[in-house]
Amino acid sequence: HNVVVETGAGISTLFLLNEMTNGNMYSVDTKPWCGFEVNHPNYELVLDDSLNALLPLFLKTGGWDFFLHDGNHDIKRQTYEYNFAYACLNPGGYIASDDYSWGEHKAWQVFLENHDLKAIKMGDIEIAQKPIYIQSMITLDTAKSVHKNCLELAEEAERIWLEWGNKNSEIKWDIRV
């Protein structure tokens, strides 16, 4: 079955659900900005921060087929979400980021470069595919340690970002988990 995960619930939620013919969709958001409630049998809203919610969600669902970052655009959340979600993706799955250039910290570009991924731009969204030959980087047994590594990486990215005065330091991190 297909598993779609997004951070940030909003209009994209409706578009994604409208195109889904099977599977389940999960939105992670502390406080959805949209003023409507989504009522769909294959949809679940997780009211929590992505730093807390993505690990339990993976433990519940197993591998993901599509991940969309459209939540908190700070460097810590983006760095964590891109790397943890990529580890959770099934081979051939897709990862996308909306408003990837917000904050000017280039977390999306660093992520793409470190994983040797090429993204396709569609408006304010960029999307990349996990190569089919790359096996899942995470299992239910390794999920906690991968989450911990991704969180440490995100905290280090934030530390460097703040230390450099919120300017892109062009530092490359080895993010392979």
Side-chain angles (χ1 to χ4, degrees), residues 7 14 16-17 25 29 32 41 46 48 52 60-61 76 80 84 90 98 103-104 111 113 120 127 170 172:
T7 55
L14 299 177
L16 289 167
L17 277 170
M25 181 174 174
D29 204 331
V46 179
D48 201 350
N52 302 322
K60 174 182 175 178
T61 64
K76 182 176 180 178
Y80 168 76
F84 188 72
N90 292 319
D98 189 21
E104 300 179 4
F111 163 75
E113 288 173 19
I120 297 170
I127 185 169
E170 300 297 332
K172 304 281 187 201

Side-chain angles (χ1 to χ4, degrees), residues 121-142:
K121 185 174 181 165
M122 297 181 294
D124 289 338
I125 295 177
E126 281 197 0
I127 185 169
Q129 184 176 22
K130 185 174 186 175
I132 195 87
Y133 58 83
I134 294 182
Q135 296 303 308
S136 294
M137 297 177 186
I138 190 172
T139 65
L140 295 177
D141 293 334
T142 62

